[in-house]
Amino acid sequence: MIISQNTLKWVMRFYPPLFFQRIWVQKFENEFRSCTVKLSKSFLNKNYNGSIFGGTIYAATDPFYALLFDQLMQRRGFKVRVWLKSASIQYLKPGRSTLYFTITVTDEMLNEAEHALKTVGKFVKAYPMEITNKYGELCATVMNEVYIRNLHQGESPRVAY
């Protein structure tokens, strides 16, 4: 389903798995080319050591590449199924304050996915993410492997379904 940036932002803000972990979508920009997310530290997501629970950081990174690619490919006329195929995280520094990350889908990334969908019918690629604290210090790096399947391979792309 094609949805507006503002609507998706508010849906994601109050989506229970994100809301109760204090994962807050700040904005989707440039027609779903980028997304900025904030992880606020609270008693709901604080671990024994007083930092943000690693599972919260991991969960925060889960949906966003898939959401961006889904909306972008639909706007290009593809009917697709998109999900996070795999992910890995490396914790570099405790998240003792609010954490942030921004991801961006470039023209190159989008064109590569579109070419694969038209020729092979699926696209699988890993993309990096960097999670920083409010001081700009790197706290974690994540690799998210996105899987995109063209549900109508061989057909001409249409904008409306």
Side-chain angles (χ1 to χ4, degrees), residues 64-80:
F64 296 103
Y65 269 118
L67 285 172
L68 294 179
F69 272 105
D70 180 63
Q71 289 299 310
L72 289 165
M73 297 316 294
Q74 285 188 67
R75 283 169 170 73
R76 287 188 168 206
F78 288 90
K79 184 167 179 69
V80 293

Side-chain angles (χ1 to χ4, degrees):
M1 166 175 45
I2 294 178
I3 190 169
S4 76
Q5 292 179 140
N6 195 48
T7 300
L8 186 57
K9 174 184 76 175
W10 285 100
V11 167
M12 295 304 292
R13 282 180 173 181
F14 293 106
Y15 180 54
L18 301 182
F19 180 78
F20 289 110
Q21 293 189 69
R22 309 277 291 141
I23 300 165
W24 192 255
V25 177
Q26 290 188 304
K27 58 188 169 185
F28 287 103
E29 290 187 298
N30 303 324
E31 298 179 15
F32 288 104
R33 291 298 186 105
S34 75
C35 177
T36 302
V37 179
K38 174 175 127 177
L39 290 80
S40 298
K41 182 179 152 189
S42 80
F43 76 96
L44 294 173
N45 64 12
K46 189 168 61 169
N47 66 19
Y48 177 77
N49 295 312
S51 61
I52 296 177
F53 178 61
T56 297
I57 298 169
Y58 199 68
T61 65
D62 182 282
F64 296 103
Y65 269 118
L67 285 172
L68 294 179
F69 272 105
D70 180 63
Q71 289 299 310
L72 289 165
M73 297 316 294
Q74 285 188 67
R75 283 169 170 73
R76 287 188 168 206
F78 288 90
K79 184 167 179 69
V80 293
R81 182 81 61 228
V82 185
W83 66 84
L84 179 67
K85 184 175 181 182
S86 68
S88 63
I89 190 165
Q90 185 173 25
Y91 301 103
L92 305 171
K93 185 174 189 161
R96 298 199 186 281
S97 68
T98 299
L99 300 177
Y100 301 89
F101 66 88
T102 299
I103 60 171
T104 302
V105 176
T106 65
D107 286 335
E108 182 182 305
M109 293 162 67
L110 200 53
N111 291 336
E112 184 180 15
E114 184 174 348
H115 176 72
L117 292 175
K118 286 179 177 177
T119 58
V120 183
K122 70 177 180 177
F123 176 73
V124 181
K125 188 160 184 182
Y127 296 105
M129 301 171 80
E130 293 185 340
I131 293 90
T132 59
N133 63 19
K134 66 182 181 180
Y135 307 110
E137 300 168 323
L138 188 61
C139 293
T141 59
V142 180
M143 285 299 288
N144 278 359
E145 187 177 35
V146 178
Y147 177 93
I148 307 172
R149 165 71 65 190
N150 185 354
L151 298 178
H152 291 233
Q153 186 180 2
E155 295 180 13
S156 297
R158 301 183 306 266
V159 173
Y161 292 100

